[in-house]
């Protein structure tokens, strides 16, 4: 692959609802540019982009693929991002390193849930964008109807840059409204605008000229004076408006029929910004704490952001990066500022799906990959040790769906921990946590499909077989009144006996205070050397409480009296005496169960607000407030974790996928009495199984 200058590069992310045609679009781009000799099909699992076995099995993208397309002496780094909400991590990473977005809208379905979600991500980053109406060769499609839906759903100045020639089965090509040229058939042959479309095309073009003129003072003066704008001037004005976000062009295509693709490629080159045309980025020098402004020049200080990590079966860990300044060369080491570690760089690659194309260097503005970096993870910055820099990382949403995972065999158990570390390295929206209270390993993700794909990846990539289950709730126990308890451990065998005698006062503490041990011994009733053993014994026994076997918390244990034997007493004797005091005292102290309460923020379209509020009432929620954000309601509430186990799936079901939520731990609270007995009985059943 030849070397391209920074102004010949375009970094474009394809975004849209799952199934809107993004992967077919990238496949057609590759075919038209001559990179492939046939059009792959998603249904047959033959596309360059969907190379992962899970993608081929499910027929959806679950990873971002980098698809470099060489077109008219330019290189277009096309980032084919997943459309399904569970795989938002890859979408966020792709949006972070792109300079523009193509929002793909299925013309037969119109604006869908995924379209709304990705629009929000693009709005957050203010990316220049175009809207592409796809699948215009299908039945029940309408360019005009889809355009009207987009205008109704989103704020923006949506203006056709192209118009379709024919519709549905008769969709033959597109008219470029700036050049007034037709792109016809699968080969994009240039022709004249059909006679029956000339009047409508002229009307559209006039509107385009007005918008182009508004973007530039010189052009608006010329336009107001009645002079005609040249094609170059119209393009310049549109480029300015698109970059500012004041113009959002609308294009037309049918990827599987390969119609309108060449016109799209031309539009990307003509209207979307190169890395050189984007505003400078800020980086922080960790050595000085000062911010620096970076532009996309090869001679600048090196700063490359890692936006994706993948486990390749042949070369090991693959690190994908975008260079914002400077150059990464094969065989020349780099520095990871976060880890404070030098990294050896071997061969650098341009990625095309799973194909690794070796290149001598990746210059400023370009996207590449390198294998086997030791300490680097997604979100890190690669730089020069003599000039350390850190770019702003990638902000990922917190995972919302938890599954308890268990290895199937002893061999799987041995391999599980390193495999999970590599899996979460690949996908930062996956988190792993060991739940001390329940003894379970919990894998957190964005939804059921996300966890399912993760489990299959563990098996396919790392040879680890697991089963998944609904996690146990990490309940805790505490006491509500002060009691005094006596614990005496006395055992006489043939030789030296065992003797330990303690009196302990158990007192409740405020929620969240944890455990306090107090030594109130006077006069040597319990010798000094045995007092730590009493505390140790309590800390051991409190891990399995007296109500349902959950850890006991938020109490004080005061050792105030006891007895000992000069020969038979030992640390073990006093530990066991503490156990006995705990077992006698805690049941008398009105023990209760505590459950975790979560802070939840739910964002839903207004029409679902009533349903969500009603559902929250059934989940023992306490609604804290409700705010309005455009046409959406944001409901904040405190909800027991036990009622949220599968809320990610339930919310999607109730809102047709349009509801989203976040949650974080708030505090522990007493379980209502009528539920305590059920939890106790369940704990007994599980204990019997063990």
């Amino acid at each position: 692959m030849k070397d391209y200058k920074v102004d010949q590069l375009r970094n474009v992310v394809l975004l849209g609802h799952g199934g809107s045609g993004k992967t077919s679009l990238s496949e057609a781009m590759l075919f038209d540019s001559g990179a492939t000799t046939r059009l792959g099909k998603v249904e047959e699992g033959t596309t360059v982009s969907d190379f992962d076995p899970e993608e081929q099995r499910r027929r959806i993208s679950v990873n971002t693929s980098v698809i470099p397309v060489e077109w008219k002496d330019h290189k277009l780094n096309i980032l084919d991002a997943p459309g399904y909400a569970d795989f938002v991590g890859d979408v966020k990473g792709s949006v972070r390193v792109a300079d523009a977005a193509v929002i793909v809208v299925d013309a037969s379905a119109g604006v869908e849930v995924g379209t709304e979600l990705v629009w929000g991500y693009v709005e957050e980053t203010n990316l220049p964008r175009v809207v592409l109406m796809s699948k215009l060769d299908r039945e029940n499609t309408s360019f005009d109807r889809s355009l009207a839906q987009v205008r109704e759903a989103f704020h923006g100045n949506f203006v056709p840059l192209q118009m379709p020639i024919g519709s549905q089965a008769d969709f033959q090509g597109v008219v470029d409204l700036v050049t007034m040229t037709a792109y016809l058939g699968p080969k994009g042959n240039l022709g004249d605008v059909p006679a029956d479309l000339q009047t409508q095309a002229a009307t559209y073009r006039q509107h385009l000229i007005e918008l182009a003129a508004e973007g530039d003072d010189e052009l608006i003066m010329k336009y107001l004076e009645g002079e005609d704008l040249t094609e170059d001037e119209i393009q310049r004005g549109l480029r300015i408006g698109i970059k500012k976000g004041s113009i959002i062009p609308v294009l037309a295509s049918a990827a599987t029929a390969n119609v309108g693709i060449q016109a799209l490629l031309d539009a990307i080159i003509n209207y979307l910004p190169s890395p050189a045309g984007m505003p400078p980025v800020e980086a922080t020098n960790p050595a000085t704490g000062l911010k620096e402004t970076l532009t996309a020049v090869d001679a600048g200080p090196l700063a490359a952001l890692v936006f994706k990590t993948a486990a390749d079966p042949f070369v090991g860990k693959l690190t994908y990066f975008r260079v914002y300044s400077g150059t990464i060369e094969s065989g020349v080491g780099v520095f990871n500022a976060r880890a404070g570690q030098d990294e050896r760089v071997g061969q650098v690659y341009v990625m095309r799906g799973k194909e690794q194309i070796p290149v001598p260097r990746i210059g400023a503005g370009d996207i590449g990959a390198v294998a086997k970096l030791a300490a680097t993870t997604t979100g890190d910055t690669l730089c020069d040790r003599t000039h350390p820099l850190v770019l702003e990382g990638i902000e990922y949403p917190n995972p919302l769906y938890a599954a308890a995972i268990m290895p199937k065999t002893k061999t799987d158990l041995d391999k599980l921990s390193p495999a999970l570390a590599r899996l979460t390295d690949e996908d930062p929206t996956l988190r792993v946590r060991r739940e001390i209270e329940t003894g379970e390993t919990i894998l957190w993700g964005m939804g059921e499909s996300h966890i399912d794909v993760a489990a299959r990846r563990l098996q396919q990539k790392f040879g680890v077989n697991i089963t998944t289950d609904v996690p146990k709730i990490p309940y805790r126990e505490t006491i509500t009144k002060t009691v005094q308890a006596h614990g005496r451990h006395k055992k006489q065998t043939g030789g030296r006996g065992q003797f330990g005698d303690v009196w302990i006062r158990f007192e409740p503490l405020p929620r969240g205070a944890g455990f306090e041990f107090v030594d109130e011994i006077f006069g040597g009733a319990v010798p000094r050397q045995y007092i730590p053993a009493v505390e140790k014994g309590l800390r051991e026994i409190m891990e399995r409480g007296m109500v349902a076997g959950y850890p006991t918390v938020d109490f004080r244990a005061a050792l105030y009296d006891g007895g000992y034997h000069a020969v038979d007493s030992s640390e073990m004797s006093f530990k066991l005496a503490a156990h006995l005091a705990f077992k006698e005292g805690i049941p008398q102290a009105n023990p209760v169960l505590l459950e975790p309460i979560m802070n939840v923020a739910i964002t839903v379209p207004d029409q679902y607000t009533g349903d969500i509020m009603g559902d929250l009432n059934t989940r023992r929620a306490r609604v804290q407030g409700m705010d309005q954000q455009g046409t959406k309601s944001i409901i904040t509430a405190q909800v027991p974790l036990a009622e949220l186990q599968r809320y990610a799936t339930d919310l999607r079901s109730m809102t047709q996928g349009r509801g989203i939520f976040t949650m974080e731990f708030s505090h522990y609270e007493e379980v209502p009495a009528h539920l305590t007995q059920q939890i106790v009985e369940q704990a007994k059943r599980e204990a019997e199984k063990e």
Side-chain angles (χ1 to χ4, degrees):
M1 187 168 284
K2 63 178 275 193
D3 203 9
Y4 290 88
K5 295 175 182 173
V6 67
D7 59 356
Q8 295 173 302
L9 299 171
R10 301 290 185 274
N11 297 314
V12 180
V13 59
L14 302 182
L15 299 171
H17 187 78
S20 58
K22 301 179 295 299
T23 298
S24 298
L25 182 62
S26 64
E27 193 67 21
M29 289 175 168
L30 283 172
F31 177 73
D32 287 342
S33 65
T36 57
T37 54
R38 69 186 185 93
L39 271 172
K41 289 187 168 62
V42 172
E43 298 77 21
E44 296 170 4
T46 54
T47 62
V48 172
S49 186
D50 286 354
F51 57 85
D52 187 283
E54 271 305 289
E55 294 177 315
Q56 293 169 354
R57 187 178 78 85
R58 291 169 178 266
R59 297 180 183 173
I60 61 168
S61 299
V62 301
N63 310 293
T64 290
S65 291
V66 181
I67 307 292
V69 175
E70 296 178 286
W71 184 255
K72 296 188 177 177
D73 212 27
H74 285 72
K75 179 186 174 191
L76 283 54
N77 288 315
I78 304 298
L79 298 158
D80 179 15
Y84 197 67
D86 279 17
F87 308 106
V88 63
D90 267 37
V91 178
K92 288 273 192 176
S94 306
V95 170
R96 172 68 179 81
V97 297
D99 296 319
V102 174
I103 311 284
V104 183
V105 177
D106 180 346
S108 60
V111 173
E112 298 173 271
V113 179
T115 326
E116 295 174 358
L117 290 174
V118 298
W119 190 268
Y121 304 147
V122 173
E123 286 281 279
E124 288 170 15
T125 52
N126 291 318
L127 271 189
R129 71 209 75 163
V130 302
V131 172
L132 179 73
M133 302 302 179
S134 69
K135 303 186 182 182
L136 282 166
D137 58 336
R138 304 284 176 92
E139 289 182 10
N140 302 317
T141 58
S142 165
F143 180 84
D144 292 335
R145 185 181 68 228
S146 298
L147 176 57
Q149 283 189 332
V150 168
R151 283 173 170 159
E152 186 181 341
F154 308 119
H155 296 296
N157 203 346
F158 298 93
V159 55
L161 190 64
Q162 300 167 357
M163 59 181 290
I165 300 171
S167 64
Q168 300 181 33
D170 295 325
F171 178 55
Q172 302 161 27
V174 299
V175 174
D176 183 318
L177 295 166
V178 175
T179 62
M180 290 300 275
T181 307
Y183 289 76
L184 298 165
K187 293 188 177 178
N189 297 320
L190 298 180
D192 295 328
V193 179
D196 60 330
L197 294 179
Q198 284 182 356
T199 303
Q200 188 182 2
T203 305
Y204 276 144
R205 188 174 193 270
Q206 187 58 39
H207 185 42
L208 265 182
I209 293 169
E210 289 172 12
L211 290 171
E214 288 174 8
D216 185 279
D217 290 343
E218 184 187 323
L219 296 181
I220 194 73
M221 291 300 294
K222 187 174 179 181
Y223 177 74
L224 291 173
E225 287 166 7
E227 292 184 54
D228 289 335
L229 302 186
T230 65
E231 281 182 19
D232 286 346
E233 287 173 333
I234 297 169
Q235 287 186 352
R236 188 179 91 212
L238 289 173
R239 269 197 301 274
I240 293 168
I242 292 165
K243 186 177 169 183
K244 288 196 304 188
S246 59
I247 299 172
I248 303 170
V250 182
L251 290 74
S253 75
T256 51
N258 198 23
V259 176
I261 307 305
Q262 298 89 346
L264 169 65
L265 291 167
D266 286 348
I268 288 173
I269 290 171
N270 291 335
Y271 299 106
L272 296 183
S274 73
M278 293 297 284
V281 297
E282 271 197 346
T284 303
N285 185 326
T288 64
L290 299 174
K291 292 198 178 295
E292 296 185 27
T293 301
L294 304 176
T295 53
V297 290
D298 289 352
L302 176 61
L305 181 71
V306 174
F307 68 95
K308 178 177 167 64
T309 306
D312 185 274
F314 303 107
V315 302
K317 185 167 100 169
L318 263 178
T319 299
Y320 291 69
F321 57 84
R322 151 113 191 231
V323 181
Y324 282 88
S325 170
T327 303
I328 289 186
E329 297 182 18
S330 292
V332 178
V334 296
F335 181 65
N336 182 322
R338 177 197 58 82
Q341 189 170 321
D342 289 308
E343 291 277 25
R344 293 179 60 188
V345 173
Q347 178 66 55
V348 293
Y349 303 103
V350 166
M351 300 300 297
R352 183 189 288 145
K354 66 178 176 181
E355 183 187 359
Q356 298 151 13
I357 304 167
V359 292
R361 61 190 283 280
I362 301 291
D366 209 349
I367 289 173
V370 64
K372 297 180 180 174
L373 296 187
T376 300
T377 59
T378 303
D380 284 353
T381 302
L382 302 176
C383 57
D384 192 304
R385 178 179 271 279
T386 60
H387 192 156
L389 291 168
V390 176
L391 293 159
E392 185 184 342
I394 304 163
E395 195 174 318
Y396 293 105
N398 287 323
L400 303 166
Y401 188 97
I405 59 173
M406 290 76 69
K408 286 188 176 178
T409 65
K410 173 72 169 65
T411 308
D412 293 324
L413 175 62
D414 295 339
K415 295 191 289 185
L416 182 61
S417 187
L420 285 173
R422 292 176 68 186
L423 188 71
T424 52
D425 197 20
E426 271 194 51
D427 186 348
T429 55
L430 287 171
R431 311 268 168 86
V432 177
R433 190 173 78 234
R434 180 73 180 166
E435 197 66 71
I436 302 300
E437 282 92 339
T438 62
E440 292 180 318
T441 299
I442 308 297
L443 181 62
W444 283 86
M446 299 309 297
E448 191 173 356
S449 295
H450 194 200
I451 297 295
D452 186 39
V453 166
R456 286 176 174 274
R457 276 196 177 146
L458 280 172
Q459 195 271 320
Q460 289 163 355
K461 285 191 172 182
F462 310 114
V464 178
N465 291 289
I466 61 168
T467 57
T468 62
D469 202 354
V470 178
K472 297 173 187 172
I473 300 297
Y475 293 108
R476 292 179 179 174
E477 300 179 16
T478 193
I479 58 175
T480 57
K481 77 172 189 178
T482 300
V483 297
Q484 296 174 340
H486 181 218
R488 171 179 284 195
H489 175 70
K490 184 177 181 182
K491 191 173 181 183
Q492 200 64 46
T493 54
R496 181 178 172 180
Q498 297 176 19
F499 183 84
D501 189 15
V502 294
W503 282 89
I504 298 174
R505 185 174 65 255
F506 296 102
E507 306 169 4
L509 288 177
R511 201 67 61 242
F515 169 66
E516 270 183 37
F517 177 76
V518 181
D519 169 15
E520 294 181 359
I521 294 293
F522 294 101
V526 176
R528 291 278 137 222
Q529 68 265 33
Y530 298 137
I531 291 174
V534 176
E535 180 179 357
K536 192 174 180 183
L538 288 171
R539 288 190 181 276
E540 282 178 2
I541 191 74
M542 63 188 263
E543 288 304 312
R544 289 193 66 82
M546 305 305 295
V547 180
Y550 293 101
T552 306
V553 296
D554 302 341
F555 73 103
R556 178 186 291 122
L559 174 64
Y560 66 92
D561 201 359
Y564 72 101
H565 188 280
V567 176
D568 293 349
S569 286
S570 63
E571 286 191 5
M572 178 59 73
S573 301
F574 276 95
K575 270 175 62 176
L576 295 172
H579 287 192
L580 294 170
F582 183 89
K583 288 178 180 177
E584 180 189 307
I586 296 301
Q588 300 172 37
N590 287 354
V592 293
L593 271 182
L594 301 174
E595 63 180 339
I597 305 296
M598 313 301 285
N599 285 329
V600 179
I602 308 159
T603 305
V604 291
D606 286 343
Q607 68 261 38
Y608 300 110
T609 305
D611 293 342
I612 298 305
M613 296 288 275
D615 178 70
L616 285 173
N617 287 335
T618 69
R619 296 177 187 269
R620 300 190 283 128
R622 285 196 301 272
V623 175
Q624 308 285 298
M626 195 163 77
D627 292 319
Q628 202 66 23
Q629 190 178 74
T631 59
K632 296 192 174 179
S633 299
I634 302 171
I635 303 162
T636 51
Q638 290 194 327
V639 193
L641 179 61
E643 305 290 345
L644 293 171
Q645 289 282 71
R646 291 295 174 258
Y647 193 60
T649 305
D650 296 343
L651 182 63
R652 278 182 196 166
S653 174
M654 286 185 287
T655 61
Q656 298 179 5
R658 286 182 158 80
I660 56 173
F661 80 108
T662 60
M663 70 174 179
E664 58 183 18
F665 172 74
S666 173
H667 62 282
Y668 269 85
E669 206 169 273
E670 194 173 322
V671 176
H674 70 280
L675 295 175
T676 298
Q677 193 53 41
Q678 296 174 23
I679 297 166
V680 169
E681 287 170 5
Q682 177 66 25
K684 282 180 182 173
R685 284 196 295 271
E686 287 173 2
E688 286 166 7
K689 284 181 194 173
E690 293 171 6

